[in-house]
Amino acid sequence: MILLHNRDRPSSAASWAWRRLMRFVVIFVCIAAFTALIWPTIEPQNPPMHQASNITISADVKCELDESLLLKLEIKKLADFTRREIVVDFTDEEVPMTQKLDQPLWDPSKGKGKSNDHTLMEQPQDGCSIPLPVSVKLPPKPAMADASHIDFGVATTVDRLNDSLNAFEHWAAYTRTRIFAMVEPDERIPLVQAKADAMGINLHVHVSEDDYLRRYFALVPLLEKNMRPQTKWGCIIDDDTFFLSMPALVKALGEYDHTQPMYIGGISEGVPQIGVFGVMAFGGAGVFLSRPLVSDLVTVYDECQLMNFSGDRRIAYCIYQYTQTRLTIDHRLRQLDLMVDASGFFEAGRVPPLSVHHWKSWFHADMTKLGVISSLCGDECLLRQWHFSDGFILTNGFSVIRYSQMLEPGDLTMEMTWDGHNGAGLDMYLHELGPLRPRDDDKISYLLQDSEVDEITGRVTQWYIQRDTRRGDKVLELSWQKR
Ligand SMILES: *[C@@H]1O[C@H](CO)[C@@H](O)[C@H](O)[C@H]1NC(C)=O
Ligand SMILES: *[C@@H]1O[C@H](CO)[C@@H](O)[C@H](O)[C@H]1NC(C)=O
Ligand SMILES: *[C@@H]1O[C@H](CO)[C@@H](O)[C@H](O)[C@H]1NC(C)=O
């Protein structure tokens, strides 16, 4: 009979309702106060995220993004996405490798607190783009090189040759150079040949049953047998040797006398490696042999094929033991015996190397993707640097970084980002890479992840990413076009 009892005592029912209301108000106030207390400390670390299939996207990302793009960029958690356009003006004036720009890379209106700032609402199409394009000056795109006087030789496997074609395309396609590849017998050779033909690479595949190291030295007579009247140089490379610019290579070789026996190459950047292998042209940098030297080596081929050294060492010791020719070091030819992180080398802002190596083994930096921007501004614009007013540095095709401490103007040092071989110190790398400075552990670093050219508009897009598995990756998309 509780209902009846209550109806008999209406004042008591009213006070019960009042007490409930009061209790609700107190609880509400407590929760509100507690929430207000903890909100600011939680919010910056845990911005609300939303899920697009398996990709977590921070609420700070203010534009719609194509899921296939994020998958292609290997993003699982996205914290920021920024787009900016770069407009290129070609000029006949001298343009230094490193240029200063009087604007910041990042838009000051972007970032923390921007949601409160309604005065800057005239954003472009989407909330990720910085409206103002960056204007840069570059020298005109050089003419295609004629490299018909250089023949390359490479000993490899069919699979590795196939994988190397995209990188070979950057420097070899449509330059009239020839690449002679010595591989094991394989029924897929015609497929690889067809792929090379379609790319404009003048590839000649030869089959050998020999093991790799004998195959390597067998490239010397193969190059000799195939010489054309215009042939001046034979060059033996590894399948991961990458030339940044054929016009630059042709120009560099033009500085040497091809009518004399010449042995030109690069030595290891690490003294320990030189200790193990000797003073010789390290194969990954490319071993250049002038036509007279190739002929000399063929006359002592049998003796040298018996020598107890293999690969690039056999070439070196054959030359040293049987000829009067000695190594000419060209410091622009790079073996890159640098482990784990070679970013300091690429970000040094020095004259770009002619060749690089080990970029898909000892360290990882995709040279094929680095080279994509050449289609818009030529090989001349690879690794060029722009210093923005907010301290960020764009090294074209490689990275966007900011050092934890600004460098003095005119600083020539290279950051030693790589691991020393068996603990080798900075002094072990000075002979090739000095001046050096220690690694900057607090450097902000966005590395090139991908790059694409739009065949219709000629526009090139690069994606640089700062990886952070905990807080999410940050992406900078740079879209290049000519004025
Ligand atoms: C999401 O991840 C799960 C497990 O990791 C996988 O099985 C599934 O295929 C993924 N879904 C998509 C759309 O990628
Ligand atoms: C060569 O590589 C491509 C990918 O670039 C692949 O699709 C093709 O199957 C490969 N061919 C051979 C013969 O391995
Ligand atoms: C090569 O090494 C073998 C033993 O490994 C030795 O008997 C031979 O004399 C060496 N040959 C030369 C040319 O040094």
Side-chain angles (χ1 to χ4, degrees):
M1 293 301 127
I2 291 169
L3 275 179
L4 184 66
H5 180 74
N6 277 349
R7 204 189 295 148
D8 286 346
R9 300 169 63 184
S11 60
S12 158
S15 85
W16 172 81
W18 177 246
R19 277 206 311 276
R20 274 204 60 154
L21 182 65
M22 279 311 290
R23 203 184 303 159
F24 176 75
V25 166
V26 167
I27 289 171
F28 178 80
V29 167
C30 286
I31 289 176
F34 183 66
T35 308
L37 192 70
I38 62 170
W39 192 264
T41 58
I42 288 185
E43 199 237 20
Q45 287 159 14
N46 266 341
M49 295 256 180
H50 75 265
Q51 202 87 16
S53 69
N54 285 352
I55 305 169
T56 313
I57 299 176
S58 159
D60 286 345
V61 177
K62 299 283 191 233
C63 60
E64 284 301 313
L65 292 167
D66 203 2
E67 192 193 321
S68 59
L69 172 65
L70 297 178
L71 288 174
K72 192 173 69 134
L73 299 178
E74 293 165 25
I75 287 175
K76 298 205 173 64
K77 194 168 173 186
L78 181 67
D80 186 54
F81 196 101
T82 304
R83 294 195 168 104
R84 193 145 193 201
E85 298 219 332
I86 301 190
V87 180
V88 175
D89 283 303
F90 293 106
T91 171
D92 290 325
E93 298 157 33
E94 183 99 355
V95 190
M97 266 297 286
T98 294
Q99 293 167 267
K100 269 198 174 329
L101 298 172
D102 58 7
Q103 55 166 310
L105 172 61
W106 304 96
D107 188 351
S109 68
K110 232 181 156 278
K112 284 191 188 75
K114 72 183 157 185
S115 51
N116 302 329
D117 193 350
H118 294 286
T119 56
L120 283 159
M121 277 324 284
E122 41 175 348
Q123 288 283 317
Q125 328 69 300
D126 67 65
C128 291
S129 298
I130 297 176
L132 184 68
V134 181
S135 285
V136 299
K137 284 203 163 98
L138 283 170
K141 214 172 143 172
M144 204 70 138
D146 178 354
S148 54
H149 58 302
I150 313 171
D151 287 337
F152 292 86
V154 60
T156 182
T157 66
V158 168
D159 283 311
R160 290 182 60 109
L161 178 62
N162 185 49
D163 288 345
S164 303
L165 290 178
N166 291 333
F168 287 177
E169 183 183 17
H170 171 79
W171 52 269
Y174 304 107
T175 60
R176 299 204 217 136
T177 192
R178 297 181 297 174
I179 299 177
F180 293 90
M182 191 89 92
V183 298
E184 78 286 6
D186 191 303
E187 64 209 9
R188 295 167 301 164
I189 290 172
L191 295 173
V192 176
Q193 180 73 58
K195 183 174 165 187
D197 294 347
M199 288 173 154
I201 302 171
N202 203 339
L203 179 70
H204 300 255
V205 182
H206 291 256
V207 168
S208 164
E209 302 270 6
D210 274 347
D211 65 62
Y212 170 74
L213 293 166
R214 282 184 68 86
R215 237 187 277 159
Y216 189 97
F217 196 69
L219 289 169
V220 176
L222 180 66
L223 290 175
E224 201 262 354
K225 204 176 67 190
N226 285 286
M227 279 176 175
R228 301 184 282 194
Q230 68 264 47
T231 306
K232 294 179 183 169
W233 300 97
C235 175
I236 297 177
I237 56 172
D238 285 0
D239 55 19
D240 58 344
T241 301
F242 183 81
F243 295 97
L244 278 84
S245 165
M246 189 57 104
L249 180 65
V250 167
K251 187 159 172 275
L253 282 179
E255 294 159 15
Y256 299 105
D257 185 355
H258 64 91
T259 65
Q260 299 301 311
M262 298 240 19
Y263 171 46
I264 302 169
I267 56 172
S268 176
E269 290 77 14
V271 171
Q273 292 295 98
I274 298 172
V276 172
F277 293 99
V279 178
M280 60 166 202
F282 279 65
V287 180
F288 288 86
L289 310 169
S290 65
R291 183 176 186 136
L293 182 61
V294 173
S295 303
D296 288 350
L297 293 182
V298 168
T299 63
V300 290
Y301 180 76
D302 291 336
E303 293 90 319
C304 293
Q305 199 58 301
L306 290 175
M307 289 178 101
N308 277 344
F309 309 98
S310 54
D312 45 6
R313 292 181 91 194
R314 187 173 291 167
I315 292 190
Y317 287 89
C318 180
I319 292 169
Y320 296 158
Q321 180 67 4
Y322 295 100
T323 81
Q324 289 289 294
T325 306
R326 289 297 170 267
L327 174 64
T328 301
I329 297 175
D330 190 313
H331 301 285
R332 296 166 294 180
L333 296 169
R334 290 297 187 188
Q335 165 79 2
L336 288 196
D337 280 340
L338 306 179
M339 283 192 297
V340 184
D341 180 358
S343 60
F345 173 80
F346 290 98
E347 292 162 354
R350 299 184 187 174
V351 176
L354 292 171
S355 62
V356 296
H357 175 236
H358 278 154
W359 49 278
K360 42 184 175 179
S361 49
W362 289 33
F363 61 91
H364 289 272
D366 194 324
M367 291 299 126
T368 311
K369 286 171 181 166
L370 175 136
V372 171
I373 189 69
S374 291
S375 74
L376 184 122
C377 47
D379 299 336
E380 274 278 314
C381 76
L382 298 183
L383 299 180
R384 273 182 180 268
Q385 284 191 335
W386 290 276
H387 289 235
F388 291 82
S389 63
D390 51 4
F392 277 89
I393 303 170
L394 163 62
T395 301
N396 198 7
F398 188 83
S399 69
V400 173
I401 58 167
R402 189 171 72 179
Y403 295 117
S404 63
Q405 291 189 329
M406 291 290 184
L407 302 179
E408 297 289 323
D411 189 319
L412 294 175
T413 56
M414 176 186 287
E415 185 192 359
M416 184 177 161
T417 52
W418 55 91
D419 293 358
H421 225 97
N422 298 325
L426 193 142
D427 53 324
M428 292 290 135
Y429 298 88
L430 279 176
H431 67 285
E432 275 297 312
L433 301 175
L436 292 167
R437 66 175 187 276
R439 181 189 175 91
D440 180 349
D441 288 320
D442 299 317
K443 177 170 77 172
I444 298 172
S445 178
Y446 289 69
L447 294 174
L448 185 82
Q449 171 73 27
D450 209 344
S451 185
E452 265 180 16
V453 57
D454 182 326
E455 300 294 351
I456 296 161
T457 62
R459 232 171 217 276
V460 173
T461 308
Q462 298 171 323
W463 291 274
Y464 296 88
I465 305 186
Q466 183 188 12
R467 297 282 181 193
D468 187 330
T469 45
R470 204 168 57 84
R471 277 173 295 189
D473 298 337
K474 295 183 176 178
V475 179
L476 175 64
E477 179 184 290
L478 295 181
S479 176
W480 296 71
Q481 58 179 311
K482 296 180 209 176
R483 181 164 319 268

